[in-house]
Amino acid sequence: MELKKTDFDFDLPQELIAQDPLEDRSASRLLLLDKNTGQLKNEIFHNITRYLRPGDCLVLNNTKVIPARLLGQREGTGAHVEVLLLKRREGDVWETLVKPGKKCKPGTYLVFGDGLLRAQVLETVEEGNRLIRFFYQGIWEEVLDRLGEMPLPPYITHKLQDKNRYQTVYARYEGSAAAPTAGLHFTCELLRQIEEMGVQVVYVTLHVGLGTFRPVKEENVLEHHMHSEYYQVTQEAAAQINTAKAAGGRIICVGTTSCRTLESTADENGVVRPGCGNTEIFIYPGYRFKVLDCLITNFHLPQSTLVMLVSALAGRERVLAAYAEAVRERYRFFSFGDAMFVHDGIDK
């Protein structure tokens, strides 16, 4: 089987890329897509409760985005440098993306915030990333919170006024370089309503890496190497999901990250196993879902692995038809944009 990345292309007017979050998280628009028939319906996100059922299990990713973008200078020259924290290797050593990379050879010292934070480039690793050791006084998280900026995706050009708006209201475990954006639409009040109607709300963790924005370069999709991301599923979360599934409840993942977490940890019978590790799971049409029944997700970039995942659930033609409808109806796209609920029939 050959899948071409151009099979997942669509025309997106630049002005539909959302640059700022809405004042009310749950006031986003919601496009309902029946994965079996392709039927579409326009809604408002806070009305998602109308389409959930008692016994359903809503799975959310409680990762927390760290202010991973550091702006500083090369020590001695004063030349500007930008460091993006990708992954903590050990202690104060991080794998990073550095710009300009050519000027930051091993041994180079960097300084941030008038010397509040210093760093030394240790070595160059795969894809040109740099291992960097940081030096500071006090608590790392406090230093980072003071000096770091949210690493917004490259298509967002506006400055974020409130750091918390690129964070879900239930974010708990620090480690992501990008937000699990489907969760940005939920408020504490909406989650309370959902639980009160008899829906289980369960949390798993997947630390989102910048690889989520990496374009598919190979024309043949199957030749694309998926990025690796760390996940964790607790014993309690696995038990809640398995119990809901066994009782006939739908497993509804909020975001592609929650989906990839569950599909990575489930056995062939669809039983979710607790544990942690790294996943490189790549879901595209032809994939048979083991756990997930429905998906709440944002609108993704053309030709991206995320569009391919949604297409695996609802079919490429139906998904592209839904995206065409979203463009016609002037939905807002990408991280701060509107949402889609891929479901299995809302009139049951």
Side-chain angles (χ1 to χ4, degrees), residues 16 18 20 28-29 185 298-299 332-339:
L16 295 187
D20 303 289
S28 304
R29 296 168 73 192
H185 306 283
N298 276 20
F299 292 95
R332 301 163 75 246
F333 275 67
F334 304 164
S335 296
F336 287 140
D338 297 315

Side-chain angles (χ1 to χ4, degrees), residues 12-18 326-328 330-334 337:
L12 179 67
Q14 193 77 14
E15 67 270 16
L16 295 187
I17 298 173
V327 169
R328 271 193 304 274
R330 311 293 289 174
Y331 273 68
R332 301 163 75 246
F333 275 67
F334 304 164

